[in-house]
Amino acid sequence: MAGKDSIDAYVDGSFSVESGVYSFGCVFLPEDGSVRVMCGSGNDPENAKQRNVTGEMLGAMNAVLCAIKSGYKRINIYYDYAGIECWVTGAWKSKNDLTRSYSMSMKGWMSHIDIRFFKVEAHKGHKYNELADKMAKRGAESIGIPETKLIGDMEIWTQEK
């Protein structure tokens, strides 16, 4: 669990074969007990070749940028796709421009924030991972990557939604 200077973030990605849209969802758990969410999507044909993986990477990148902007010193990223961690740690080789860009960006941001990774199993009923998945699917409803926000300015998720 995150502390005063750290935040937990769950990230996920999605892809629509019909529309060619990749999307991401982020769930933030600040210390105040709220649940803050964001989502976004894109449809660049080159990036769409990586399908949901593009969304997975965008989710992690947006989570880190929002945490930095909000002044956190550490972010705990919970993910269900191994590449989110493995391309950053070097366990997997970045074999294309997209994964290289992701890896380089995340490594660069590590000079501003301590990024820690935690693997969770997909679709096993983990509350916040399932919510990140839901937000990733919601992200595909409109095209656009949201601007980096303060975590307190993001949408608050309640059980009714």
Side-chain angles (χ1 to χ4, degrees):
M1 191 67 167
K4 194 171 195 168
D5 291 333
S6 66
I7 190 159
D8 291 339
Y10 288 77
V11 300
D12 209 348
S14 188
F15 181 76
S16 169
V17 176
E18 297 82 27
S19 66
V21 171
Y22 48 86
S23 55
F24 72 89
C26 299
V27 176
F28 296 90
L29 304 174
E31 185 184 82
D32 67 5
S34 66
V35 178
R36 303 283 177 157
V37 295
M38 75 180 304
C39 57
S41 63
N43 61 355
D44 177 87
E46 192 61 32
N47 291 338
K49 291 177 182 177
Q50 297 291 317
R51 301 173 65 101
N52 67 302
V53 173
T54 301
E56 303 272 356
M57 291 184 288
L58 284 172
M61 293 169 77
N62 276 279
V64 169
L65 288 173
C66 289
I68 290 170
K69 184 173 186 172
S70 298
Y72 288 98
K73 294 183 179 6
R74 184 177 86 210
I75 183 169
N76 300 315
I77 297 179
Y78 294 85
Y79 64 89
D80 60 21
Y81 177 70
I84 293 305
E85 179 176 7
C86 293
W87 284 312
V88 177
T89 63
W92 289 5
K93 184 175 180 179
S94 299
K95 296 181 180 177
N96 61 55
D97 290 341
L98 193 61
T99 58
R100 270 191 294 280
S101 177
Y102 168 74
S103 175
M104 288 173 43
S105 295
M106 294 293 275
K107 288 175 184 176
W109 295 328
M110 286 179 165
S111 65
H112 303 284
I113 191 168
D114 178 16
I115 304 172
R116 299 185 185 184
F117 297 97
F118 300 90
K119 176 89 166 81
V120 295
E121 287 190 63
H123 309 293
K124 295 290 185 184
H126 190 285
K127 180 179 179 177
Y128 297 117
N129 191 58
E130 296 296 331
L131 180 54
D133 181 67
K134 186 174 190 174
M135 293 307 300
K137 287 176 179 41
R138 181 173 160 191
E141 294 172 6
S142 62
I143 303 299
I145 305 298
E147 67 181 61
T148 302
K149 297 180 179 183
L150 290 172
I151 290 169
D153 292 340
M154 289 179 193
E155 179 181 357
I156 298 177
W157 186 266
T158 60
Q159 292 299 88
E160 304 87 56
K161 291 188 178 183

